[in-house]
Amino acid sequence: MTEHPIYAKVNLQETNYTPSKKIDYKLLPKDTDPEPLLEIYKKYATYKDFKSAWPIYPDEFNKPYNDILAYYNNGEIVAWTMIFLLAKNAVWNMQFAWDYADPSLKLGYKSIRNECGIYRLKGYSEMLIDRNQKYKTDLQGYEEFGPIA
């Protein structure tokens, strides 16, 4: 029997996260050049030693239903998150990528809390966070989707 991944979400109404004033980030315009972002994704996949990585296509960065939040260190983009605007009350934290040049930034941990704060303030009530990962289970409002019978 094949074990299926556990999918989860954050009930944003049960959180008190706010957009961070301690990390340098911004929402990128829809006409942003995707090449530097794809380079970060390649570094991320290499750092994580992914045997197979989910394909990210250049035009995904410019779609009207995808927000791209870029994270900076010393004025350079070092990470990004692609947020799919799924429904009027739900977003999907679809993909995060980080070059890991400075792991002490702890951007994976900090970015998701930042994004919960941003989208809660925008009026969204749910953020799908895809597969269950240990650090995500500590999020306020964390809920797993149960098995479907």
Side-chain angles (χ1 to χ4, degrees), residues 45-137:
T46 299
Y47 180 87
K48 291 289 197 172
D49 194 27
F50 291 153
K51 303 298 179 224
S52 176
W54 185 262
I56 300 292
Y57 301 100
D59 60 341
E60 288 182 87
F61 294 98
N62 309 117
K63 297 291 184 187
Y65 48 77
N66 285 339
D67 281 353
I68 308 300
L69 289 164
Y71 293 89
Y72 296 81
N73 188 29
N74 298 320
E76 305 249 345
I77 297 177
V78 297
W80 54 266
T81 302
M82 184 179 291
I83 304 284
F84 181 79
L85 307 174
L86 189 60
K88 71 177 188 177
N89 69 327
V91 295
W92 173 21
N93 192 307
M94 193 166 105
Q95 182 63 59
F96 172 76
W98 178 17
D99 68 10
Y100 281 95
D102 183 356
S104 70
L105 295 173
K106 298 186 185 270
L107 284 177
Y109 181 85
K110 293 176 181 176
S111 65
I112 196 163
R113 285 156 175 79
N114 184 56
E115 292 147 12
C116 285
I118 291 168
Y119 288 92
R120 182 177 57 81
L121 291 177
K122 286 185 173 195
Y124 291 93
S125 59
E126 294 182 348
M127 177 179 284
L128 280 66
I129 55 173
D130 213 21
R131 290 182 178 80
N132 176 17
Q133 294 168 316
K134 174 62 180 131
Y135 79 97
K136 291 180 181 179
T137 63

Side-chain angles (χ1 to χ4, degrees), residues 2 12 18 22 34 40 57 73 75 78 80 103 108 127 130 132 138-139 141 143 146:
T2 303
L12 297 174
T18 58
K22 295 181 180 179
I40 290 170
Y57 301 100
N73 188 29
V78 297
W80 54 266
M127 177 179 284
D130 213 21
N132 176 17
D138 293 334
L139 291 168
E143 299 175 8

